[in-house]
Amino acid sequence: MSKTLYSSNIMNQFDVIIIGGSYAGLSAAMALGRSLKQTLIIDAGKPCNRQTPHSHNFLTRDGETPKAISAIALEQVMKYESVSFKKGTVVSGSRTNSGYEIVTSNKDVFSTKKLILATGIKDEMPDIPGFAESWGISVIHCPYCHGYEFKTKKTGIFANGDQAFHLAGLVSNLTNELTILTNGDHEFTDEQIAKLEQHSISIVESKLLEIVHQKGAMERIVFKDGNALDLDAMYAHVPFTHHIDLSSKLGYKYTEQGYIEIDAFQKTTVPNIFACGDNSSRMRSVANAVSTGNFAGAMANMELTNENF
Ligand code: FAD
Ligand code: MG
């Protein structure tokens, strides 16, 4: 490794600062490092998939732990001498005459010409005992990431209306034992109900009391009405927030769905600020984070290069 990680005396002026050093941020850093750009990654070390035992559906790393994937990525990225890595949490940012100033919780201050937001999203766990403990283990967010491991198993879908209907279609490809848990009155159209019945997908409207599990491996769902349902896995769409919101200071905007608004070049609505990975995309996967990060890095490099050419 070319330089000490977590070094406290790294320089303070960068071409690009990347906030978030998981898959999206590291991928951006690789493109920038290979382009000789002075790049600082600041990372708090809390990727959203950290509780999942195995990550799937990413070529060459199928079934690896999330940590193994990012460890290899970090090692490869840090071989590029213009890239520095700082463990820490960014708490604020502001515009300067030449770009941006970024401040961490340790009161370190760094300046940069361009900023890449690779901060991911923060999943909000519902107040159901066992839910957070099972997140990423048997409470899963996506059929492509973990569905295969639960094929033919007793499966629930914790969602309602169009979202549940859409997931039901996808998941019915993997298992015939499917129950939708709407956790309150269902919001399906008559047409949707007919289709679900046609595929023997049942709907339970009772509110969830608890997920009974062993180290995150679910055994059954207990409902507030006293009933219970044996399940091996449950898909869940949960609301999200952002780890940090610099929009009022820096001026970038969000979409109606709450993602950072970007164009086809990963550029936010503000010049010199890019976003990549989960914070700006509904397509939530390691592959998408790596792809959008790679593109954000390339776009930041292209702008920097053109500005000096
Ligand atoms: P993240 O990986 O979430 O990383 C964001 C990083 O930014 C974190 O390290 C965080 O600490 C840091 N950060 C945030 N704010 C700050 C700040 N203010 N200062 C400093 N650092 C900050 N995808 C797959 O392809 N296969 C799977 O099997 C799979 N399983 C998953 C399981 C679960 C439970 C979840 C939730 C997701 C899973 N995903 C999977 C999706 C995948 O994990 C994400 O799409 C991917 O992690 C997004 O990468 P990212 O870099 O955008 O964000
Ligand atoms: Mg995330």
Side-chain angles (χ1 to χ4, degrees):
M1 206 155 284
S2 60
K3 71 193 91 54
T4 320
L5 294 186
Y6 318 132
S7 138
S8 57
N9 55 0
I10 44 183
M11 55 182 266
N12 281 63
Q13 171 64 51
F14 292 90
D15 293 321
V16 183
I17 289 179
I18 302 170
I19 309 179
S22 180
Y23 314 104
L26 289 171
S27 182
M30 182 170 272
L32 289 159
R34 293 181 56 74
S35 306
L36 312 177
K37 294 297 179 283
Q38 293 300 328
T39 303
L40 173 65
I41 307 160
I42 307 174
D43 183 47
K46 290 247 162 75
C48 61
N49 61 349
R50 61 190 180 278
Q51 193 167 281
T52 212
H54 305 283
S55 177
H56 289 281
N57 205 33
F58 181 52
L59 277 176
T60 77
R61 298 288 160 217
D62 190 40
E64 292 268 18
T65 64
K67 206 170 184 160
I69 301 174
S70 45
I72 296 166
L74 181 62
E75 191 192 326
Q76 295 188 342
V77 165
M78 292 314 291
K79 286 189 181 137
Y80 294 95
E81 58 282 353
S82 68
V83 180
S84 301
F85 181 97
K86 176 129 191 105
K87 189 161 175 57
T89 303
V90 172
V91 290
S92 69
S94 55
R95 281 169 203 256
T96 62
N97 287 337
S98 55
Y100 300 95
E101 202 166 79
I102 296 302
V103 183
T104 71
S105 57
N106 291 336
K107 304 205 164 37
D108 291 311
V109 181
F110 302 102
S111 304
T112 185
K113 294 175 194 155
K114 314 253 176 213
L115 193 58
I116 297 181
L117 307 168
T119 43
I121 53 173
K122 194 171 165 185
D123 299 295
E124 296 292 327
M125 297 291 115
D127 192 13
I128 299 168
F131 196 106
E133 294 86 341
S134 305
W135 181 241
I137 301 166
S138 61
V139 175
I140 55 184
H141 80 294
C142 140
Y144 297 102
C145 300
H146 306 288
Y148 181 88
E149 283 62 43
F150 292 106
K151 65 182 173 353
T152 74
K153 299 284 187 190
K154 291 193 209 74
T155 304
I157 292 177
F158 180 76
N160 205 345
D162 289 344
Q163 211 170 49
F165 186 76
H166 165 75
L167 257 177
L170 273 180
V171 180
S172 71
N173 173 53
L174 295 164
T175 182
N176 293 324
E177 298 205 57
L178 198 48
T179 307
I180 297 177
L181 311 173
T182 53
N183 200 36
D185 294 344
H186 82 73
E187 293 158 9
F188 296 112
T189 64
D190 291 345
E191 265 182 345
Q192 287 174 329
I193 295 276
K195 190 94 175 211
L196 293 172
E197 272 171 7
Q198 189 191 322
H199 288 276
S200 310
I201 298 168
S202 34
I203 301 167
V204 175
E205 294 179 300
S206 310
K207 295 228 170 184
L208 276 67
L209 177 71
E210 185 188 357
I211 297 173
V212 179
H213 67 98
Q214 293 291 336
K215 293 186 175 156
M218 113 176 16
E219 293 179 342
R220 66 186 174 280
I221 307 287
V222 180
F223 297 95
K224 287 189 177 166
D225 62 12
N227 288 322
L229 177 70
D230 288 349
L231 282 184
D232 300 304
M234 184 175 85
Y235 290 85
H237 273 195
V238 297
F240 70 88
T241 56
H242 288 271
H243 289 285
I244 182 167
D245 179 14
L246 297 172
S247 63
S248 59
K249 281 272 188 91
L250 301 184
Y252 60 83
K253 294 203 171 70
Y254 295 98
T255 65
E256 246 171 57
Q257 292 83 29
Y259 296 97
I260 297 174
E261 189 178 333
I262 50 164
D263 66 9
F265 303 97
Q266 305 300 136
K267 292 167 70 148
T268 68
T269 49
V270 169
N272 303 316
I273 306 183
F274 301 78
C276 51
D278 278 4
N279 65 13
S280 47
S281 171
R282 293 182 65 157
M283 193 61 215
R284 199 175 188 194
S285 68
V286 173
N288 187 57
V290 168
S291 165
T292 55
N294 181 259
F295 199 37
M299 290 302 105
N301 173 61
M302 190 183 76
E303 286 189 0
L304 285 161
T305 305
N306 285 345
E307 285 159 16
N308 289 309
F309 185 71

